[in-house]
Amino acid sequence: MQFNMTVCISNLFEFNNALQYAQTLEMYRLLGVDRVVIYNTSCGPDLNHLLQSYSQEGFVEMVPWPIDKHMNPSHGWFFSTHGGDMHYYGQIATLNECLYRYMDQSRYVLLHDIDEIMMPYKHDSLQVLLDLLQEQLPKVGVFQVENHIYPKKPFHKSKKELLPEWRGVPGFNILEHVYKWDRLSESLAYKMIVQPRMVVQTSVHYITETKAEQFLIPHELGHIIHCPVSTPYVKPLKDIQVDTRLWDFSDKLIPNVNQVLKRLGLLHLEWQS
């Protein structure tokens, strides 16, 4: 296999959140991901500049997805609210396209969104976790991963809040998302890591057809850190937990992100030297 782990990001449209993308892509790299595939409908100039740089080095594959030039895609999750000819910019179509695109190129394919990170909690590499599970469960080809929300609010002031050099960079800082809610509702509770040759068809939160056994990764071994741009409400402190797992990687993550942003001229001039 050319790649061991490939992340499939279903859709990119109308965003310019360069800071979040730089942080998330560098976090993937630290966790052992070899390739990230992004289906691009449209994005802002700073984000486009960032992604073109990653594409040139080979870490990101940008797949043009001009679905809005041919159909009226839905801009949201619920058809009753957002309508459209195709659900959420064709998210399910792109996930399946990515599954087959990398079926013979990648040992594992991770199916989730850019605001989600599949985080191991007992190991510092997803590969170590997957090798351990695969040794114990050789017939499993679909690993379900619990999806937990990590909103920005509430957020206590700490050394991890927005660094001075990141002020003015479009996007938000994932290191501020340290409050963990309970997992999402049952219908939205999981994302997947799959061996693509054992999967026939996928949806967003579950596999619709597979030849393999499925296994839910125990929460204490790993789960999704889901950092949305916003949430419809704020939970009281008594109903949430503090989880600073992302901070365990900050000594490597922050310099790597700064290096990328500096190379692209996205840091403030005072931090360029």
Side-chain angles (χ1 to χ4, degrees):
M1 293 287 169
Q2 184 179 358
F3 306 105
N4 204 34
M5 286 191 293
T6 297
V7 173
C8 291
I9 303 297
S10 57
N11 298 97
L12 169 59
F13 53 91
E14 301 174 357
F15 293 118
N16 195 38
N17 43 352
L19 177 59
Q20 178 213 355
Y21 268 74
Q23 289 178 316
T24 303
L25 290 171
E26 290 302 323
M27 192 66 236
Y28 290 159
R29 209 196 298 262
L30 290 175
L31 291 175
V33 169
D34 306 295
R35 171 63 64 90
V36 179
V37 188
I38 299 175
Y39 288 76
N40 182 26
T41 298
S42 63
C43 64
D46 301 298
L47 181 54
N48 182 65
H49 187 34
L50 178 83
L51 293 177
Q52 291 303 324
S53 175
Y54 277 111
S55 180
Q56 288 169 11
E57 72 170 82
F59 185 57
V60 167
E61 179 183 7
M62 295 288 287
V63 180
W65 186 248
I67 190 69
D68 57 335
K69 302 295 190 297
H70 307 282
M71 306 178 72
N72 174 33
S74 170
H75 292 240
W77 183 257
F78 296 104
F79 176 76
S80 58
T81 302
H82 300 96
D85 303 323
M86 190 178 224
H87 178 255
Y88 210 36
Y89 287 89
Q91 183 180 31
I92 294 176
T94 56
L95 286 174
N96 280 280
E97 205 279 345
C98 191
L99 185 75
Y100 280 86
R101 178 180 290 255
Y102 279 85
M103 187 164 284
D104 297 320
Q105 296 186 65
S106 187
R107 183 182 178 196
Y108 293 105
V109 166
L110 288 68
L111 302 168
H112 57 83
D113 295 327
I114 194 65
D115 61 357
E116 299 169 336
I117 295 172
M118 292 188 177
M119 177 64 73
Y121 274 72
K122 301 294 186 182
H123 313 86
D124 287 338
S125 164
L126 279 168
Q127 187 57 61
V128 174
L129 172 60
L130 290 172
D131 285 346
L132 175 67
L133 292 173
Q134 205 73 77
E135 182 179 354
Q136 298 172 353
L137 305 162
K139 295 182 179 180
V140 170
V142 177
F143 292 96
Q144 296 174 314
V145 190
E146 280 192 8
N147 194 340
H148 290 257
I149 290 284
Y150 286 67
K152 181 178 178 180
K153 295 180 180 181
F155 177 70
H156 58 77
K157 300 297 182 183
S158 76
K159 63 179 181 179
K160 302 301 179 186
E161 70 175 318
L162 193 63
L163 299 179
E165 59 264 43
W166 291 347
R167 295 191 182 116
V169 180
F172 65 86
N173 179 10
I174 65 173
L175 295 176
E176 295 183 359
H177 292 242
V178 297
Y179 284 101
K180 180 169 78 72
W181 292 8
D182 294 333
R183 71 173 185 170
L184 294 173
S185 62
E186 191 64 35
S187 61
L188 307 176
Y190 310 110
K191 290 296 178 75
M192 289 86 64
I193 304 173
V194 305
Q195 292 194 55
R197 293 153 302 286
M198 303 175 77
V199 173
V200 178
Q201 186 176 344
T202 187
S203 186
V204 178
H205 297 281
Y206 57 92
I207 299 298
T208 53
E209 187 175 351
T210 177
K211 299 175 283 186
E213 293 182 6
Q214 303 188 46
F215 176 77
L216 174 61
I217 295 177
H219 174 268
E220 62 274 12
L221 286 183
H223 60 265
I224 287 197
I225 294 177
H226 183 179
C227 302
V229 174
S230 62
T231 51
Y233 57 90
V234 176
K235 282 194 173 186
L237 284 175
K238 64 182 180 64
D239 294 334
I240 56 183
Q241 305 171 40
V242 175
D243 178 4
T244 58
R245 174 60 171 156
L246 278 173
W247 293 3
D248 293 342
F249 298 86
S250 60
D251 288 345
K252 294 181 179 179
L253 179 64
I254 291 173
N256 291 353
V257 170
N258 281 344
Q259 184 178 18
V260 171
L261 297 178
K262 180 178 180 180
R263 185 175 71 245
L264 299 176
L266 292 176
L267 289 185
H268 271 199
L269 293 177
E270 62 201 87
W271 293 96
Q272 291 291 316
S273 58

